[in-house]
Amino acid sequence: MRTIIQCVLLILSTLVFSQNCDLRLQGNVRDFHNNLPSIFAQIVNRDGTISAVTDDQGNFLIENLCPGTYHFTVIDTESELKEFTVQIEENTQVNWHVEHHVIELEGLERQGTLRALNLTARETHLHRDALQEYAANDIAGALKKVSGISSLESGSNIAKPVIHGMHSSRVVLVNMGIRQEDMDWGAEHAPTININGFDDLIVLKGSSSLRYSGDALGGIIVAELPSTLRRDTLQGEFGLTGLWNGRGGSSYANILKTFKSPWEVYLHGSVRRTGDMQAPNYNLQNSGVAQYNYLARVGYNTFERKYNLSYSEFFTQLGILQAAHIGNVNNLLEAIESGEPAHQEEFSYRINRPYQNIRHRMVKAYYEQRFRNLGKWENMYALQINRRQEYDMRLGEQSSMPNMDIRLTTQRFESVFSFDRHANSIFTTGVQGMIQNNYSDPATGVKRLIPDYDQYSGAWFGTWDYVRNQWGVSAGLRYDYVHIDSKKYYSKRYWDEMGYDQDFADNIIGDFGTQWLAHFKRNFHNIAATIGLMYERSPWEKLTINLSRASRAPNPAELFSEGLHHSAASIEMGDVRLKPENGYKLSVGYSALETWNRNLSFSLNGHAHQVQNFIYQIPTGLQYTIRGAFPVWNFKQVNAIMLGMDLDIGWRFDQGTSLQAQASYLYGQDTENKQPLIHIPPFKGNIILGHRFGNQNQWNTSITAEYTARQLRFPDFNPEVNILQDGEFVSRTVDLSTPTADYLLWNAQIGYQIPIQNKNLKLNLHIYNLMNSSYRNYLNRFRYFADEPGRQIQLQAILEF
């Protein structure tokens, strides 16, 4: 019996081990992006017992395989690791695709949508390390690090970026790949975005990137989330910032979780709280801030396919400087001439009237599909809800109600295809659409500054970038259609003063005693274009030339404003006859990195901008209301020209010591009236001396000198008023035009990095306005009433993991 069993086992084992193990696997490995062969790539199974190498055509051969399931990984120094599963029952042939140039592509992914930005335009990046310094600040404060960018302010806590003299709706903010929609038309409406959740801010000066906009005469700011690593890992950042001036600070947390599968989750949350800011000699009453922000994104991410869903919410409560709200014209004159607020109180965390409540919510869905040997198809949809409430002094039963309550609801969608199969050429085309509704709640009982309106827009664009050897060419074309449908109540007196009784009598649809109800439908057809040339003499030296045309339809505030804008402390008057702006901009840039024994970095960018029908606000007088006396600002339209230059220089003395310098100058002229434009940023320059020392340069320190000149070119829009003085009416001039004096500010910084296993702890101390200098900023709308904040001491701890 034993002999029989042994014979059976011998026969079975012979059958098993004599199975067909002479099968062959033939294959070809090519690049998914452009179908080029993957040369000298290794093909390895999971346990490393089977391997092969591709030849110069991407072919490989593996022999002597037994039937079964195999898991092979393609290893190439120029591509991502990718695993393929093969079921082999007979001789098998496969065609596999991996992504060559993955290093380049991942770099582009980290910088967001750089492939859609213009190849020949000047781009500046503020990466995470640079943004960390401004964790307790806003986006405008961070962007002031970039040459050519200033900040338009309303007091000490409301600011928006100014790029080459342009701001508000001429500067487009792109949040997570889609244009952000908030009430950017107001000079005191700060962008509703928190920079702490983003990994990179990309600044493109001018309107050269047509994917996002054809109306960005000033520029485009792209805020990008951290890139994903496509492996099972957890990374993040915690930050805590304390502020001496304002006696508050901020904290934030960013967490990115990626799994071995393609799924990923990103979470961000932040809070900020400060009380009254302090000028060197007095308290800036009612200048506190309360803010919170959170963001969540979940997504699936492979090279061939991506989709994600994001939700973000931003809320801020901003106190409006009490000194900017004046009771009568005598008090206004006294406030301007006295040099400091007449009424001063002690520090407080209370945010009293007047103040703003702003909330911005966004839901965004994104889908991307790559097609072999063709390109990438992207689809996005976003719903944005922006609510602005402005509170001023009120009495009686309505004392708890806002004076302004506006809800702006926007739906944006786009579909974009990038043909990128060729390594040196990319053509991108797409369509975009927007449906927007503005609702101004009449329950406030206050005449609405901005009426209800519906806005619809559609766009098509096409851009092309081509690089060969040392040369690069870019070109683009975009068409936008904008339709605005609005019904607005006008006082009959204002209607006649504006001449609307002659031009728009047919638009009246209702008579309500002292007011007309008018219905306006405006249609705008805008064409934008760009063409540019790039020459790279070496990887460190580049010359760019770009010519662009942008066209912007007037926004609803410019068309329909009529009344007191409480948080701006001014009367604003629009003009429904305004035409679209058309801007033509020539930019020439030269940059040389690490030249002169690799110690010198140099960048010089000049620009000339001609704008037809340039829309801007000018003070035209004073108006008395039951709330007090306020300057009147009217929207006007002229032809203008702007010429400027931005200079950046860096010098490295040794491995630890460096010097950086920046300078920007802008010339703005109203060519119709032959006078300077109002609110053109003056000359600005800074010098930073930095030094790193210690083991692995763990210590870093710097001192900065920031100089802002007095604006010598300004128009005279000072109104004349009659005031009662000693029983008689006397004519007085209200000086709303004279620029502020020049000033020099000193800042200092010291930082220390502590590596803790796989983590990094950063401790930073920043001191701004070191000498506690008193000064006023020409671009601050409240400069008539108070100084800028004094010395600020900022202590910061950041843990990266």
Side-chain angles (χ1 to χ4, degrees):
M1 184 68 179
R2 179 181 299 175
T3 302
I4 295 173
I5 293 174
Q6 289 176 342
C7 291
V8 172
L9 291 175
L10 179 63
I11 294 171
L12 290 175
S13 64
T14 301
L15 291 173
V16 171
F17 289 101
S18 64
Q19 64 177 318
N20 182 16
C21 288
D22 59 356
L23 300 179
R24 299 169 40 159
L25 174 65
Q26 290 180 287
N28 181 267
V29 181
R30 290 184 173 269
D31 173 53
F32 186 99
H33 183 62
N34 53 29
N35 208 39
L36 294 175
S38 181
I39 302 173
F40 304 132
Q42 297 184 56
I43 316 297
V44 184
N45 72 333
R46 281 184 175 176
D47 59 12
T49 59
I50 303 173
S51 65
V53 178
T54 61
D55 60 19
D56 58 358
Q57 298 298 316
N59 298 317
F60 68 90
L61 173 64
I62 300 176
E63 299 181 303
N64 301 320
L65 296 176
C66 300
T69 301
Y70 294 85
H71 304 277
F72 291 102
T73 299
V74 178
I75 303 174
D76 189 334
T77 57
E78 294 185 344
S79 70
E80 63 179 347
L81 297 178
K82 189 165 184 179
E83 187 175 88
F84 297 90
T85 300
V86 184
Q87 181 71 35
I88 297 179
E89 301 295 341
E90 57 185 10
N91 290 336
T92 304
Q93 185 166 346
V94 294
N95 293 303
W96 292 338
H97 286 82
V98 296
E99 172 52 37
H100 283 184
H101 323 297
V102 71
I103 297 175
E104 174 190 356
L105 284 173
E106 287 185 350
L108 292 170
E109 290 294 329
R110 279 195 296 271
Q111 298 173 10
T113 48
L114 280 183
R115 303 187 77 157
L117 298 186
N118 192 284
L119 180 70
T120 61
R122 171 66 174 170
E123 292 178 6
T124 304
H125 292 259
L126 291 180
H127 296 296
R128 189 70 208 136
D129 288 345
L131 295 177
Q132 287 173 343
E133 178 183 346
Y134 298 91
N137 210 312
D138 50 38
I139 189 171
L143 290 172
K144 286 195 293 186
K145 291 176 66 74
V146 180
S147 60
I149 297 185
S150 303
S151 179
L152 181 66
E153 302 172 4
S154 296
S156 61
N157 55 12
I158 301 175
K160 61 196 315 177
V162 180
I163 302 179
H164 291 168
M166 303 282 190
H167 58 82
S168 301
S169 54
R170 300 184 188 93
V171 175
V172 171
L173 176 61
V174 178
N175 183 352
M176 295 186 293
I178 203 156
R179 178 169 177 162
Q180 177 151 320
E181 297 290 343
D182 50 23
M183 300 170 195
D184 58 1
W185 33 261
E188 80 307 328
H189 294 185
T192 53
I193 190 171
N194 184 285
I195 62 173
N196 290 311
F198 295 95
D199 197 53
D200 193 14
L201 287 182
I202 309 165
V203 180
L204 184 67
K205 301 171 185 175
S207 57
S208 302
S209 179
L210 300 184
R211 168 168 182 167
Y212 298 119
S213 167
D215 60 356
L217 280 79
I220 296 174
I221 301 166
V222 181
E224 283 296 331
L225 296 179
S227 59
T228 56
L229 300 177
R230 302 180 191 173
R231 64 173 183 262
D232 190 1
T233 187
L234 177 70
Q235 65 178 15
E237 183 180 308
F238 295 104
L240 182 64
T241 303
L243 300 174
W244 177 265
N245 196 340
R247 305 181 196 180
S250 71
S251 63
Y252 68 90
N254 301 327
I255 297 175
L256 174 62
K257 172 60 180 174
T258 55
F259 301 90
K260 194 171 184 180
S261 65
W263 288 97
E264 62 187 32
V265 176
Y266 178 70
L267 301 173
H268 160 76
S270 63
V271 295
R272 175 186 171 193
R273 185 70 171 97
T274 59
D276 291 343
M277 301 297 289
Q278 304 286 315
N281 300 311
Y282 47 83
N283 180 54
L284 298 172
Q285 184 185 347
N286 203 46
S287 56
V289 177
Q291 186 181 108
Y292 71 80
N293 176 71
Y294 58 87
L295 183 153
R297 181 183 70 179
V298 59
Y300 178 91
N301 182 9
T302 66
F303 177 73
E304 293 88 354
R305 185 179 295 109
K306 295 180 185 178
Y307 44 85
N308 56 61
L309 181 66
S310 307
Y311 176 79
S312 65
E313 181 168 338
F314 175 95
F315 172 81
T316 186
Q317 186 177 71
L318 303 167
I320 306 300
L321 182 69
Q322 190 71 51
H325 285 245
I326 305 299
N328 56 57
V329 67
N330 294 66
N331 293 341
L332 177 61
L333 285 167
E334 291 174 4
I336 293 175
E337 296 171 357
S338 66
E340 65 179 57
H343 179 71
Q344 301 176 24
E345 293 185 4
E346 297 298 320
F347 172 86
S348 174
Y349 286 104
R350 294 190 305 273
I351 299 178
N352 299 315
R353 291 172 180 258
Y355 67 88
Q356 301 176 357
N357 277 350
I358 304 105
R359 188 185 305 272
H360 184 275
R361 298 184 178 98
M362 181 166 71
V363 179
K364 178 201 153 191
Y366 175 83
Y367 175 76
E368 172 189 314
Q369 176 71 54
R370 284 188 176 269
F371 296 91
R372 188 176 302 170
N373 304 328
L374 187 59
K376 178 174 65 175
W377 185 34
E378 299 173 86
N379 296 275
M380 279 184 277
Y381 168 81
L383 170 66
Q384 302 179 60
I385 302 174
N386 198 90
R387 185 177 186 183
R388 166 175 290 272
Q389 295 174 303
E390 297 187 2
Y391 293 79
D392 201 354
M393 301 301 179
R394 304 193 73 167
L395 301 175
E397 297 179 354
Q398 295 181 325
S399 59
S400 61
M401 295 186 63
N403 298 68
M404 177 188 294
D405 190 351
I406 300 179
R407 297 174 181 88
L408 185 71
T409 303
T410 308
Q411 297 182 78
R412 272 198 170 271
F413 47 90
E414 66 177 49
S415 184
V416 178
F417 201 97
S418 299
F419 297 87
D420 58 2
R421 64 166 295 179
H422 299 292
N424 57 352
S425 177
I426 300 175
F427 175 71
T428 302
T429 185
V431 293
Q432 299 168 337
M434 183 192 75
I435 301 173
Q436 187 174 82
N437 171 261
N438 183 78
Y439 173 71
S440 187
D441 193 347
T444 61
V446 178
K447 181 177 176 62
R448 291 175 284 183
L449 176 68
I450 304 296
D452 297 348
Y453 67 84
D454 292 311
Q455 181 171 331
Y456 308 93
S457 67
W460 169 87
F461 74 92
T463 63
W464 176 64
D465 288 324
Y466 178 79
V467 178
R468 186 174 182 84
N469 299 326
Q470 298 171 300
W471 294 91
V473 179
S474 66
L477 182 66
R478 180 183 175 106
Y479 166 75
D480 283 89
Y481 168 74
V482 179
H483 172 79
I484 301 176
D485 188 333
S486 176
K487 295 179 181 179
K488 175 177 170 57
Y489 290 93
Y490 286 92
S491 74
K492 293 182 177 180
R493 179 179 177 182
Y494 177 72
W495 181 269
D496 293 341
E497 288 177 353
M498 293 294 293
Y500 292 168
D501 56 330
Q502 301 294 324
D503 297 336
F504 303 111
D506 294 340
N507 293 80
I508 297 174
I509 60 174
D511 186 347
F512 294 84
T514 61
Q515 298 186 91
W516 295 119
L517 176 61
H519 186 194
F520 288 98
K521 292 183 178 181
R522 297 293 309 271
N523 297 298
F524 303 97
H525 302 270
N526 301 325
I527 299 292
T530 180
I531 187 168
L533 183 67
M534 177 193 71
Y535 173 68
E536 281 191 336
R537 184 177 177 182
S538 70
W540 303 276
E541 191 175 5
K542 181 167 67 173
L543 174 68
T544 59
I545 301 174
N546 185 269
L547 178 63
S548 62
R549 181 191 193 273
S551 184
R552 184 183 74 90
N555 63 46
E558 295 164 338
L559 292 169
F560 304 121
S561 291
E562 182 205 355
L564 175 60
H565 198 166
H566 298 272
S567 62
S570 64
I571 308 291
E572 296 185 357
M573 298 295 187
D575 189 340
V576 76
R577 287 173 294 225
L578 293 177
K579 303 174 183 178
E581 292 178 331
N582 295 310
Y584 301 86
K585 188 170 187 178
L586 174 65
S587 301
V588 180
Y590 172 78
S591 61
L593 304 178
E594 297 185 349
T595 61
W596 204 343
N597 296 324
R598 305 191 69 177
N599 292 322
L600 175 66
S601 295
F602 176 86
S603 176
L604 180 65
N605 292 272
H607 52 93
H609 202 174
Q610 182 184 17
V611 186
Q612 298 173 351
N613 302 320
F614 178 66
I615 302 171
Y616 70 134
Q617 276 185 298
I618 61 172
T620 57
L622 295 178
Q623 186 169 319
Y624 309 95
T625 71
I626 59 173
R627 179 63 183 86
F630 296 95
V632 178
W633 291 77
N634 281 72
F635 286 99
K636 299 292 184 180
Q637 202 158 36
V638 297
N639 291 330
I641 188 170
M642 299 182 188
L643 308 173
M645 187 168 292
D646 303 329
L647 173 66
D648 295 83
I649 299 176
W651 177 263
R652 185 173 58 186
F653 294 98
D654 52 43
Q655 292 299 320
T657 306
S658 63
L659 182 71
Q660 295 179 341
Q662 290 181 334
S664 298
Y665 175 76
L666 181 65
Y667 168 95
Q669 181 76 357
D670 172 356
T671 57
E672 283 189 27
N673 301 303
K674 296 182 172 53
Q675 63 181 5
L677 290 173
I678 193 172
H679 290 158
I680 293 297
F683 171 84
K684 184 176 69 172
N686 64 64
I687 297 177
I688 305 174
L689 179 63
H691 182 66
R692 292 182 176 271
F693 58 96
N695 294 331
Q696 299 179 345
N697 287 328
Q698 289 176 307
W699 288 92
N700 64 88
T701 184
S702 65
I703 187 165
T704 304
E706 296 182 357
Y707 175 72
T708 301
R710 182 177 184 269
Q711 178 56 272
L712 300 178
R713 304 188 71 259
F714 62 95
D716 184 355
F717 291 127
N718 293 332
E720 296 289 329
V721 297
N722 292 320
I723 65 171
L724 188 63
Q725 184 174 329
D726 298 329
E728 296 182 358
F729 283 99
V730 178
S731 178
R732 294 284 299 275
T733 300
V734 183
D735 189 357
L736 301 177
S737 301
T738 303
T740 55
D742 64 333
Y743 53 90
L744 175 66
L745 302 179
W746 293 89
N747 308 322
Q749 173 268 337
I750 186 168
Y752 181 63
Q753 296 190 43
I754 308 172
I756 307 173
Q757 295 180 349
N758 295 326
K759 305 176 183 65
N760 186 39
L761 177 63
K762 295 181 179 180
L763 302 176
N764 297 303
L765 174 65
H766 296 268
I767 304 177
Y768 303 98
N769 193 0
L770 184 65
M771 303 303 177
N772 202 29
S773 301
S774 296
Y775 70 101
R776 299 195 181 192
N777 178 10
Y778 175 58
L779 295 185
N780 194 326
R781 293 282 292 265
F782 292 173
R783 72 179 188 271
Y784 314 110
F785 311 110
D787 291 336
E788 297 290 328
R791 182 186 298 116
Q792 177 64 280
I793 301 175
Q794 174 180 297
L795 183 61
Q796 194 174 57
I798 298 172
L799 178 64
E800 301 172 331
F801 60 92

